[in-house]
Amino acid sequence: MTIQTNIQPPKLRYAPDFELRGIDAQVHHLARYLEKFRAVGVVFMSHNCDYVQSYIERLKTIQVELQDRGFTLIGINANQDLEDRFEQMKNFANYYHLNFPYLWDSTRDVTESFGAKTTPMSFLIDTEGCIRYQGAIDDRPAEPAAVKQPYLRKAILELLQGQPISIAATESIGCALQWGN
């Protein structure tokens, strides 16, 4: 599977601020993360999506490798079907030992404001709240050992080093968001 990278980069825009409940029973505010970290990655997720499951270990590795450099990752449950309710989110996070906050967008307002279309879909946000990268995590959703283009990780490193983002947008490949009841 080839991920399209020559798509038109989005105009620089601000990430929508949010206040979402996490599986830790706390309310998480994007603005507070932006005050504390030099870069924030937001990944829209769903635990019944095979693509998300194939990326979990890679996301956890990004968090471990870059957290001491001023980066944090935030997972947001973007699905509204019965498989993705809040209790199942907790089970998923415990099963995979998530090392980053996992939040629930119960109204799907945040998901729609970001423009997320699939799970997973990642967004990298700078300290000013601008989205600097959006799209795929890397070029090999089903083949972690074959990754040649770690899009999200590369964009994070470029941002943390004060460099321009070389690829600002890629096509996201994954499961369609479920807006059921």
Side-chain angles (χ1 to χ4, degrees):
M1 176 178 296
T2 303
I3 293 177
Q4 187 177 354
T5 60
N6 61 348
I7 63 175
Q8 181 68 31
K11 290 184 178 183
L12 199 58
R13 64 183 175 104
Y14 288 98
D17 195 13
F18 58 75
E19 294 181 7
L20 295 174
R21 184 172 126 198
I23 60 166
D24 60 358
Q26 302 295 314
V27 175
H28 296 254
H29 305 262
L30 178 59
R32 291 193 184 137
Y33 282 99
L34 295 176
E35 291 170 359
K36 186 176 178 181
F37 296 96
R38 295 175 50 215
V40 175
V42 172
V43 177
F44 288 89
M45 304 173 26
S46 155
H47 40 273
N48 62 355
C49 174
D50 291 340
Y51 287 95
V52 170
Q53 292 171 13
S54 73
Y55 273 117
I56 289 297
E57 292 306 318
R58 286 176 267 183
L59 291 171
K60 288 170 43 179
T61 298
I62 288 170
Q63 177 68 12
V64 167
E65 290 177 352
L66 299 176
Q67 66 188 356
D68 291 339
R69 296 178 70 179
F71 171 78
T72 194
L73 188 65
I74 300 169
I76 297 179
N77 181 347
N79 267 346
Q80 297 295 312
D81 67 12
L82 293 176
E83 295 285 323
D84 280 319
R85 299 290 185 205
F86 196 70
E87 288 305 314
Q88 286 80 18
M89 287 176 59
K90 292 179 184 178
N91 295 338
F92 176 83
N94 288 332
Y95 180 81
Y96 284 104
H97 305 287
L98 293 187
N99 60 355
F100 51 86
Y102 190 26
L103 315 181
W104 190 29
D105 182 11
S106 62
T107 64
R108 60 185 184 255
D109 290 342
V110 173
T111 304
E112 290 176 350
S113 294
F114 267 92
K117 304 289 186 222
T118 62
T119 61
M121 185 169 182
S122 62
F123 294 82
L124 177 61
I125 306 163
D126 68 15
T127 57
E128 302 298 318
C130 291
I131 297 172
R132 302 291 302 277
Y133 170 80
Q134 71 178 49
I137 296 164
D138 61 41
D139 65 337
R140 299 287 186 225
E143 302 173 81
V147 171
K148 293 183 179 143
Q149 293 292 327
Y151 304 120
L152 178 60
R153 187 176 194 288
K154 184 176 180 182
I156 295 165
L157 290 171
E158 289 170 342
L159 181 61
L160 292 175
Q161 294 166 359
Q163 299 174 350
I165 307 300
S166 56
I167 298 175
T170 61
E171 174 186 21
S172 65
I173 303 292
C175 301
L177 290 168
Q178 302 295 315
W179 303 114
N181 293 326

